[in-house]
């Protein structure tokens, strides 16, 4: 089973600042990584798929990079609505797994 | 518009069974792999199971293999999850989710159905 380790667990930033979130895989997963945003009481929302492709209607301030075992989600300038929990997920093989999440807080 | 509507959650005793359903609309259901993802209260996301569009292949997380069964009825555009031998640690909000076609990045999500396992 591929383990995804997200860091940091919590990121304390202010609106307008840049956020850099990390996801590390226990073995190579190519580019088969997705990023999700989840707000309290809501279902997750797909932000990035296949490491660097923005999903439909996702603002350009969200970008993804990486391949192999190290991946990064960058939010270039935080908007108030971006404060949430972010998860990574791989689809390289079975079983699929999610990372433990990074909370971006004000 | 893609819609996924889960139902069937509730309170069940340890060792009991439940059947969850996910009614899908707005896309060609039989062409899409379907998935269940759960989230225990205050915890992160956990993938549970997936099924290919044809229903011919199924995949499970180790924590549920042998106890849960994913299935689908393409004539009814409905996905199912049979939960047997329930344990307290199965308590969670269960989401139905799908991507585009046979991909496994989850673009569309339902709002979830809550399963509580307690005596």
């Amino acid at each position: 089973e591929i383990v995804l380790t997200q860091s940091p667990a919590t990121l304390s930033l202010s609106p307008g600042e840049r956020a850099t979130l990390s996801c590390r895989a226990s073995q190579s997963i190519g580019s088969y990584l997705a990023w999700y945003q989840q707000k309290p009481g809501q279902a997750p929302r797909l932000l990035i798929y296949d490491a660097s492709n923005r999903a439909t209607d996702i603002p350009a301030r969200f970008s993804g990079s990486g391949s192999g075992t190290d991946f990064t989600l960058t939010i270039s300038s935080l908007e108030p609505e971006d404060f949430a929990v972010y998860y990574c997920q791989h689809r390289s093989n079975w079983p699929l797994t999610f990372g433990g999440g990074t909370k971006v807080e004000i | 518009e893609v819609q996924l509507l889960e139902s069937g959650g509730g309170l069940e005793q340890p060792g009991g069974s439940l059947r969850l359903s996910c009614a899908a609309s707005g896309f060609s259901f039989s062409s899409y792999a379907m998935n269940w993802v759960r989230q225990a209260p205050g915890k992160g996301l956990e993938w549970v199971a997936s099924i290919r569009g044809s229903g011919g292949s199924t995949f499970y997380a180790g924590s549920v293999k042998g106890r849960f069964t994913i299935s689908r009825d393409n004539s009814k555009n409905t996905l199912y999850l049979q939960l047997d031998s329930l344990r307290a640690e199965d308590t969670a909000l269960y989401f139905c989710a799908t991507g585009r076609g046979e991909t496994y990045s989850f673009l569309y999500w339902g709002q979830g159905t809550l399963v509580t396992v307690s005596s």
Side-chain angles (χ1 to χ4, degrees):
Chain A
E1 172 175 318
I2 294 172
V3 176
L4 297 178
T5 302
Q6 291 188 242
S7 61
T10 304
L11 197 53
S12 299
L13 294 168
S14 299
E17 290 191 298
R18 182 184 188 90
T20 304
L21 287 67
S22 174
C23 177
R24 178 163 290 177
S26 59
Q27 64 189 76
S28 178
I29 58 172
S31 296
Y32 295 128
L33 189 92
W35 289 94
Y36 301 85
Q37 177 194 67
Q38 189 179 33
K39 298 178 182 179
Q42 296 185 16
R45 178 173 71 145
L46 177 66
L47 300 175
I48 302 288
Y49 65 95
D50 292 349
S52 61
N53 298 286
R54 269 190 304 276
T56 306
D57 295 331
I58 299 304
R61 64 181 181 272
F62 292 93
S63 64
S65 64
S67 66
T69 60
D70 290 308
F71 300 85
T72 300
L73 174 69
T74 301
I75 310 171
S76 60
S77 178
L78 282 163
E79 297 287 340
E81 61 268 27
D82 299 336
F83 292 91
V85 180
Y86 293 82
Y87 295 96
C88 58
Q89 173 244 327
H90 87 85
R91 66 176 185 91
S92 175
N93 57 20
W94 304 102
L96 310 181
T97 56
F98 287 88
T102 290
K103 182 179 182 179
V104 178
E105 64 176 23
I106 299 177
Chain B
E1 178 191 5
V2 172
Q3 290 193 328
L4 300 171
L5 183 62
E6 303 95 336
S7 61
L11 175 64
E12 184 55 66
Q13 294 185 345
S17 297
L18 281 173
R19 189 196 199 199
L20 308 184
S21 299
C22 172
S25 61
F27 62 102
S28 180
F29 183 73
S30 63
S31 298
Y32 281 57
M34 296 297 296
N35 312 271
W36 289 98
V37 176
R38 69 183 180 183
Q39 187 167 36
K43 302 297 184 183
L45 301 171
E46 180 185 16
W47 171 76
V48 174
S50 298
I51 185 169
R52 295 203 195 279
S54 65
S57 296
T58 57
F59 308 92
Y60 297 93
S63 58
V64 307
K65 196 167 187 177
R67 301 188 300 120
F68 291 7
T69 304
I70 189 172
S71 63
R72 63 193 298 158
D73 185 337
N74 286 345
S75 69
K76 295 182 178 179
N77 287 0
T78 302
L79 174 72
Y80 302 102
L81 186 67
Q82 178 69 36
L83 290 65
D84 296 320
S85 302
L86 282 163
R87 304 168 180 168
E89 55 264 37
D90 295 320
T91 294
L93 186 63
Y94 284 73
F95 294 101
C96 164
T98 189
R100 294 194 186 278
E102 293 286 350
T103 63
Y104 295 91
S105 299
F106 308 133
L107 177 60
Y108 304 110
W109 296 71
Q111 284 305 301
T113 186
L114 182 63
V115 171
T116 303
V117 183
S118 175
S119 55

